[in-house]
Amino acid sequence: MKSINLDQFNELIKKATIKPRLKRELRFVTSTTNIAPEDWQELELVAIADRTGAKGVLLLAPSDDLFIFPYELSTRALTNRQTGRSQPIICDLCRTWQAGSNAAVISFRKDTQSMNSVSYLCCADLACSNHARSKTTASIASRAQLHEDLTNGQRVERLKNQLQKLTDNIGLEPVNLE
């Protein structure tokens, strides 16, 4: 993904179909402070959250196109009702095994008029690009749990394919930075 600054982000959300309240609550600077300028090119997914972290927008770049759309994140949905413990998951996006404390469900509305939505199991930190590149401790633990012998490049390609399927499933149109 190309590096995006605050002005470019503000132009993107003007073009996207996002509710005005969410637009006002997004924290671009807070969400991107840990991303160095040279690291943007290794990101396929960037989450820009509101102050609660439970809602926000995703910037997706599975290919040369850029997509932006709102999401809702829930960590409570993955609790075992009998034991009260959080359940571990395998992220539907990056295929990283996550302990229950770092597991979530991400939901997207297919359109703004209806209540139809689609949900995926995901990493609660939404750092799937870094997990696919084995840059996190969670990704290293995942390789041991899943006994996966793919290269980082193969994992990145799989992530890009999953993100492209997600954009196709939701029916998104790419947005331009210009």
Side-chain angles (χ1 to χ4, degrees):
M1 177 180 310
K2 293 180 182 177
S3 178
I4 298 172
N5 63 34
L6 180 59
D7 293 332
Q8 292 170 322
F9 176 71
N10 287 332
E11 286 300 314
L12 284 173
I13 62 171
K14 283 180 187 175
K15 297 176 185 178
T17 309
I18 300 170
K19 292 182 179 180
R21 182 177 179 181
L22 180 59
K23 286 181 182 182
R24 287 190 309 271
E25 294 177 354
L26 293 174
R27 305 289 186 249
F28 179 81
V29 175
T30 305
S31 298
T32 59
T33 53
N34 294 332
I35 304 173
E38 63 273 5
D39 291 342
W40 278 90
Q41 60 190 327
E42 289 191 343
L43 297 174
E44 292 79 26
L45 173 141
V46 176
I48 309 298
D50 67 356
R51 62 181 167 73
T52 67
K55 292 182 181 180
V57 296
L58 283 183
L59 301 174
L60 295 179
S63 58
D64 293 335
D65 294 327
L66 180 67
F67 299 90
I68 183 171
F69 54 101
Y71 70 87
E72 291 185 26
L73 196 67
S74 172
T75 56
R76 300 182 198 274
L78 299 169
T79 304
N80 184 315
R81 292 181 184 176
Q82 294 175 342
T83 64
R85 293 184 178 166
S86 297
Q87 296 286 92
I89 58 108
I90 296 175
C91 177
D92 288 333
L93 304 176
C94 65
R95 307 298 299 164
T96 299
W97 180 89
Q98 291 287 359
S101 59
N102 197 28
V105 174
I106 191 166
S107 301
F108 309 100
R109 295 207 184 219
K110 286 199 169 198
D111 57 57
T112 56
Q113 274 59 34
S114 72
M115 296 302 283
N116 294 338
S117 66
V118 62
S119 298
Y120 295 89
L121 296 174
C122 69
C123 307
D125 58 5
L126 293 173
C128 293
S129 294
N130 291 330
H131 296 311
R133 289 174 172 80
S134 299
K135 291 183 174 182
T136 62
T137 55
S139 62
I140 294 166
S142 175
R143 304 303 162 249
Q145 287 287 339
L146 299 177
H147 306 291
E148 194 174 60
D149 55 351
L150 297 176
T151 66
N152 286 347
Q154 291 169 322
R155 285 195 266 293
V156 170
E157 276 305 308
R158 180 176 60 195
L159 173 62
K160 288 179 180 181
N161 290 336
Q162 288 300 104
L163 294 177
Q164 189 63 54
K165 287 179 188 175
L166 177 121
T167 59
D168 294 344
N169 188 13
I170 297 173
L172 295 175
E173 293 295 322
V175 292
N176 295 323
L177 272 175
E178 296 140 21

